[in-house]
Amino acid sequence: MKIDIVTIFPEIAKGPLSSSIMGRATKAGLVEIHFHDLRDYTTDKHRQVDDIPYGGGPGMVMKPEPFFAAVDALKSDQSKVIFLTPQGPPFRQAKAVELSRCEHLIFLCGHYEGVDHRVIEALVDEEISIGDYVLTNGTLAAAVVVDAIVRLIPGVLGDERSAETESFSGDGNRLEAPQYTRPAEFAGMPVPEVLLSGNHGVIAAWREAKGEERTLQNRPDLMEPPSISG
Ligand code: ADE
């Protein structure tokens, strides 16, 4: 898979996407990630990427021209263009799975009060929000989304099963059960007896029940039937 990230702060995405599992995935040739400075696609001497909003209001709006030039330079027939914005639909594991099967993803990162809407209308295939809060810019959000996608590419995780049994996998509406490692007793807290039993059937049933209990406690919204609007 090839990934292009277009941002005025490439260094924000480079750190998290060059270390640990992401770094190893790149070195192993399982993914190719390119970081582009949006200012490199400006043509004026001040390399300006924003301007005042039509209709007035606070803050600045990102200009369309650099984004159009960047997408024009990077796009091919296989590309999907994604814009990170708190106005997008919320990012979910199912979307990470879908995007992990794409050939080429281009992430456009916003900043300031938003982007000229013609960018979204003409260039963007999908908008994505990583949650109901506002970051200073979309670059961190792009790093989050790319991490979630890349770890699903076959060969990136050491043990493929860890992506299959984790929270939000499968039908996507249950959290994972608690995990324990050695020692069997720590600071007066024993590991649940069932996990030491060696009985895989009983352990699987315990994990399912605990996953459900945790979901009810922390994310009761996941247990509700989906609304008609999806
Ligand atoms: N840019 C700023 N806030 C964001 C969010 N919550 N998700 C995606 N992009 C963003």
Side-chain angles (χ1 to χ4, degrees):
M1 176 191 281
K2 184 175 163 196
I3 294 176
D4 287 295
I5 301 177
V6 182
T7 163
I8 52 170
F9 298 117
E11 65 282 6
I12 291 182
K14 265 182 205 164
L17 296 177
S18 311
S19 321
S20 179
I21 294 175
M22 296 298 117
R24 285 205 297 276
T26 306
K27 283 196 191 92
L30 298 166
V31 64
E32 209 182 287
I33 306 179
H34 301 275
F35 304 90
H36 306 273
D37 187 341
L38 182 67
R39 290 187 199 279
D40 291 344
Y41 295 95
T42 56
T43 49
D44 63 306
K45 88 166 187 270
H46 299 293
R47 290 160 56 90
Q48 194 180 343
V49 290
D50 61 334
D51 209 335
I52 53 173
Y54 274 121
M60 301 288 269
V61 174
M62 295 189 84
K63 292 161 64 62
E65 302 95 320
F67 281 115
F68 274 74
V71 170
D72 191 45
L74 301 171
K75 202 176 157 115
S76 72
D77 289 346
Q78 274 84 47
S79 313
K80 183 171 260 217
V81 180
I82 296 166
F83 184 69
L84 284 310
T85 166
Q87 278 84 44
F91 187 55
R92 304 230 185 280
Q93 188 67 13
K95 178 57 72 179
V97 171
E98 181 194 320
L99 295 176
S100 73
R101 297 178 180 139
C102 292
E103 292 252 323
H104 180 208
L105 299 173
I106 301 174
F107 289 90
L108 305 180
C109 306
H111 190 57
Y112 309 113
E113 291 301 313
V115 67
D116 186 293
H117 200 64
R118 289 166 289 191
V119 169
I120 292 166
E121 280 174 339
L123 299 181
V124 171
D125 297 307
E126 289 196 32
E127 296 171 86
I128 290 181
S129 164
I130 63 159
D132 292 340
Y133 40 80
V134 182
L135 304 167
T136 52
N137 72 83
T139 313
L140 270 180
V144 167
V145 171
V146 168
D147 182 293
I149 292 168
V150 170
R151 67 189 285 285
L152 295 173
I153 296 172
V156 169
L157 291 185
D159 181 355
E160 303 295 331
R161 276 175 313 163
S162 45
E164 279 164 27
T165 57
E166 65 198 357
S167 301
F168 314 113
S169 60
D171 60 9
N173 60 2
R174 290 292 182 281
L175 300 180
E176 217 178 316
Q179 300 273 21
Y180 297 86
T181 185
R182 286 182 286 190
E185 182 167 336
F186 171 69
M189 296 179 283
V191 167
E193 196 68 40
V194 58
L195 296 177
L196 312 177
S197 70
N199 184 332
H200 296 299
V202 176
I203 292 172
W206 179 87
R207 285 192 168 139
E208 196 170 322
K210 285 290 168 189
E212 188 144 331
E213 191 181 304
R214 225 180 188 186
T215 312
L216 257 177
Q217 192 169 37
N218 293 347
R219 293 292 306 276
D221 55 301
L222 291 177
M223 305 197 81
E224 286 160 13
S227 66
I228 293 167
S229 63

